[in-house]
Amino acid sequence: MKLVRIFISLLLVSFLTESTAAPMERLSSKTVHLFDYDSRQPLDIHDKPLKGFDCGVIHDITYVSPSGGLVSAYQIVPTGKGPFAGVVFGHWGNGTRGEFIPEAKAYACAGVMSLLPDYSWERPRPWHSEIDDFAHPDLDRRTRIATVVEMRRAIDLLLSRTDVDANRVAYVGHSFGAQWGAILAAVDRRLKASVLMAGAAEEADMLLRSDNPQLVELRASLPKGQLETYLNVLEDVNAINYVRYAQPTPLLLQFANFEQYFDRVSMERYAAAATEPKTVLFYDSAHDLNDPQASKDRFDWLAKRLALR
């Protein structure tokens, strides 16, 4: 009788283990391996301090990209000895690595070391990559995958420092940056939280279904079928495919009530797909999410999860 009870207990443990397996294990191995890289490569960091402020110093740094060439980034280093929390910031697609400097400076006062990398379409040749190249979707897909890998490398850089607490690292991304954040939350378990600002569920929500005049004009200007082919090639790097597997990483999704690039249906579908724990907030702003309340909510949400001052 005792042996029977033990056997039943083992079966129960096995069932619970399988049913609560980490979501990344349910993401296909083929998909996970899209974002593999050699983390043992030297970072070869070159550092130039730029400007001090009340709570720290802004540095201009470069480090080696796993795809070749150098990533340029601003690193905001707080005063003091740490251990500091760490945040990687991903700017929007038409912006620059400087987008989040004011926010990162404020975070430094709460004990956060921040890294603000650039994207390859901002770099000089031969390391420049085009984005939204509708005639060459395979190259575009490769660029997006490489950008996610570079964001993983940014996490490596933060964690290479002895003054950064590995248990308090998060990601904040806006628009394109939110797309990388959705993927990172599913494939990189070192993140303890991820903020997705004005992120689109998938490219088609903007390029095929948006009524934005610029996007309508773009659709009309392309050869018949080119856009559909482009979107099919990029389908496996759409953000909505990854927020389904973010758990246990907490997510904050911030959307704009006056978003000009995709509609409310897209936002709600995206939010519904995201795993718990999640917080979904809307603001009276456009895509830039420049409502001061959005910045405050981001900080307050991260402060709880990263034990900030």
Side-chain angles (χ1 to χ4, degrees):
M1 191 67 179
K2 184 176 180 181
L3 288 174
V4 172
R5 285 199 301 269
I6 293 173
F7 179 71
I8 292 173
S9 298
L10 289 172
L11 284 177
L12 182 60
V13 168
S14 175
F15 171 76
L16 290 173
T17 302
E18 290 179 6
S19 63
T20 59
M24 195 175 80
E25 293 177 3
R26 300 201 301 267
L27 195 59
S28 75
S29 59
K30 180 180 178 182
T31 301
V32 172
H33 291 316
L34 286 176
F35 309 101
D36 285 349
Y37 66 103
D38 184 0
S39 62
R40 298 167 298 178
Q41 280 185 306
L43 286 160
D44 192 23
I45 301 167
H46 291 257
D47 185 343
K48 177 184 177 183
L50 287 183
K51 183 179 180 181
F53 60 100
D54 287 347
C55 300
V57 179
I58 303 172
H59 296 250
D60 187 3
I61 71 169
T62 61
Y63 54 95
V64 175
S65 166
S67 304
L70 299 177
V71 179
S72 300
Y74 294 122
Q75 185 169 21
I76 285 71
V77 180
T79 55
K81 296 182 179 179
F84 304 116
V87 174
V88 176
F89 286 93
H91 64 79
W92 76 299
N94 291 333
T96 71
R97 59 186 169 128
E99 177 184 356
F100 284 105
I101 287 176
E103 195 157 327
K105 287 175 63 180
Y107 283 26
C109 298
V112 175
M113 182 175 297
S114 300
L115 193 65
L116 291 62
D118 69 1
Y119 300 152
S120 59
W121 50 94
E122 299 171 25
R123 297 172 199 161
R125 298 188 187 281
W127 309 115
H128 176 84
S129 298
E130 296 294 335
I131 196 70
D132 294 335
D133 185 350
F134 302 108
H136 302 94
D138 287 332
L139 294 179
D140 222 30
R141 177 176 175 274
R142 190 182 310 164
T143 296
R144 292 161 194 252
I145 292 170
T147 303
V148 175
V149 169
E150 288 179 352
M151 290 298 174
R152 298 191 70 186
R153 199 64 172 138
I155 301 171
D156 291 347
L157 190 150
L158 284 180
L159 294 181
S160 72
R161 297 184 58 114
T162 57
D163 54 358
V164 171
D165 183 349
N167 293 313
R168 296 191 296 139
V169 175
Y171 178 87
V172 175
H174 179 205
S175 192
F176 249 149
Q179 180 174 351
W180 321 140
I183 297 172
L184 287 170
V187 303
D188 200 316
R189 295 305 178 189
R190 295 175 296 177
L191 291 179
K192 306 307 176 186
S194 188
V195 180
L196 312 179
M197 302 166 51
E202 55 183 342
E203 292 284 328
D205 288 339
M206 295 178 287
L207 296 179
L208 277 187
R209 295 186 277 273
S210 175
D211 60 2
N212 178 278
Q214 291 177 318
L215 295 173
V216 171
E217 184 179 347
L218 171 67
R219 287 198 293 270
S221 70
L222 296 176
K224 184 177 181 180
Q226 186 180 79
L227 192 55
E228 288 77 6
T229 299
Y230 175 83
L231 292 170
N232 285 337
V233 172
L234 295 183
E235 199 280 331
D236 66 343
V237 289
N238 278 324
I240 197 169
N241 297 332
Y242 296 86
V243 291
R244 305 178 192 280
Y245 302 104
Q247 195 178 56
T249 304
L251 299 175
L252 170 61
L253 294 92
Q254 295 183 300
F255 294 109
N257 286 324
F258 297 90
E259 173 65 59
Q260 66 268 43
Y261 296 123
F262 47 92
D263 61 20
R264 182 79 175 218
V265 172
S266 169
M267 301 178 208
E268 292 177 350
R269 182 165 53 91
Y270 190 17
T275 54
E276 298 287 356
K278 63 184 173 186
T279 303
V280 183
L281 300 173
F282 289 82
Y283 303 89
D284 285 341
S285 75
H287 186 72
D288 51 13
L289 274 181
N290 60 354
D291 184 339
Q293 187 64 45
S295 300
K296 182 180 185 303
D297 290 344
R298 278 195 298 280
F299 177 81
D300 290 345
W301 187 85
L302 284 169
K304 293 178 181 179
R305 286 149 187 85
L306 300 182
L308 304 184
R309 294 197 294 269

Coordinates of all heavy atoms in Angstrom, one line a residue, residues 4 8 21 36-37 153-154 156 163 183 186 228 233 265 268 270 272:
V4 N 2.3 1.9 -3.4 CA 1.3 2.4 -4.3 C 1.2 3.9 -4.1 O 1.1 4.7 -5.1 CB -0.1 1.7 -4.1 CG1 -1.2 2.4 -4.9 CG2 0.0 0.3 -4.5
I8 N 1.9 6.8 -6.9 CA 0.9 7.8 -7.2 C 1.5 9.2 -7.0 O 1.3 10.1 -7.9 CB -0.4 7.7 -6.4 CG1 -1.1 6.3 -6.8 CG2 -1.3 8.8 -6.6 CD1 -2.3 6.0 -6.0
A21 N 5.7 23.6 -17.0 CA 7.0 23.7 -17.6 C 7.2 25.2 -18.1 O 6.2 25.8 -18.5 CB 7.2 22.8 -18.8
D36 N 20.3 32.5 -31.4 CA 21.5 32.0 -30.8 C 22.7 32.8 -31.2 O 22.7 33.4 -32.3 CB 21.8 30.5 -31.2 CG 20.9 29.5 -30.5 OD1 20.2 29.9 -29.5 OD2 20.9 28.3 -30.9
Y37 N 23.7 32.8 -30.3 CA 25.0 33.5 -30.6 C 26.1 33.0 -29.7 O 25.7 32.3 -28.7 CB 24.8 35.0 -30.5 CG 24.6 35.5 -29.1 CD1 25.6 36.1 -28.3 CD2 23.4 35.3 -28.5 CE1 25.4 36.4 -27.0 CE2 23.1 35.7 -27.1 CZ 24.2 36.3 -26.4 OH 23.9 36.6 -25.1
R153 N 23.2 40.7 -26.3 CA 24.6 41.1 -26.1 C 24.7 42.2 -25.1 O 25.6 42.3 -24.3 CB 25.3 41.4 -27.4 CG 26.8 41.3 -27.3 CD 27.2 39.9 -27.0 NE 28.7 39.7 -27.1 CZ 29.4 39.0 -26.3 NH1 28.9 38.4 -25.3 NH2 30.7 38.9 -26.5
A154 N 23.7 43.2 -25.2 CA 23.7 44.3 -24.3 C 23.4 43.8 -22.8 O 24.0 44.3 -21.9 CB 22.5 45.3 -24.7
D156 N 24.4 40.9 -21.8 CA 25.8 40.3 -21.5 C 26.7 41.4 -20.9 O 27.4 41.2 -19.9 CB 26.4 39.7 -22.7 CG 25.8 38.5 -23.2 OD1 25.0 37.9 -22.5 OD2 26.1 38.1 -24.3
D163 N 29.4 45.4 -10.6 CA 28.5 46.3 -9.8 C 27.1 46.3 -10.3 O 26.3 47.1 -9.9 CB 29.0 47.8 -9.9 CG 29.3 48.3 -11.3 OD1 29.1 47.5 -12.2 OD2 29.7 49.5 -11.4
I183 N 10.3 39.6 -27.9 CA 11.1 38.4 -28.2 C 12.0 38.0 -27.1 O 12.2 36.9 -26.7 CB 11.9 38.6 -29.5 CG1 10.9 38.8 -30.7 CG2 12.8 37.4 -29.8 CD1 11.5 39.2 -32.0
A186 N 10.7 36.1 -24.2 CA 10.4 34.7 -24.4 C 11.7 33.8 -24.5 O 11.6 32.7 -24.2 CB 9.6 34.5 -25.7
E228 N 2.7 41.5 -49.5 CA 2.2 40.2 -48.9 C 3.4 39.2 -48.8 O 3.5 38.5 -47.7 CB 1.1 39.6 -49.7 CG -0.2 40.4 -49.6 CD -0.2 41.7 -50.5 OE1 0.7 42.0 -51.2 OE2 -1.2 42.4 -50.4
V233 N 7.4 36.5 -45.1 CA 8.8 36.2 -44.7 C 9.1 36.6 -43.3 O 9.8 35.9 -42.5 CB 9.8 36.8 -45.7 CG1 11.2 36.7 -45.2 CG2 9.7 36.2 -47.1
V265 N -8.0 47.4 -32.1 CA -8.2 46.0 -32.2 C -6.8 45.3 -32.1 O -6.7 44.2 -31.4 CB -8.9 45.6 -33.5 CG1 -8.9 44.1 -33.7 CG2 -10.3 46.2 -33.5
E268 N -5.5 45.4 -28.4 CA -6.3 44.5 -27.5 C -5.9 43.0 -27.8 O -5.8 42.2 -26.9 CB -7.8 44.7 -27.6 CG -8.1 46.1 -27.0 CD -9.6 46.4 -27.2 OE1 -10.3 45.7 -27.9 OE2 -10.1 47.4 -26.6
Y270 N -3.1 42.0 -29.0 CA -1.7 41.8 -28.5 C -1.7 41.6 -27.0 O -1.1 40.7 -26.5 CB -0.9 43.1 -28.9 CG 0.6 43.0 -28.7 CD1 1.3 41.8 -28.5 CD2 1.3 44.2 -28.7 CE1 2.6 41.8 -28.4 CE2 2.7 44.2 -28.6 CZ 3.3 43.0 -28.4 OH 4.7 43.0 -28.2
A272 N -4.1 40.7 -25.1 CA -4.8 39.4 -24.7 C -3.8 38.2 -24.9 O -3.8 37.2 -24.1 CB -6.0 39.2 -25.5

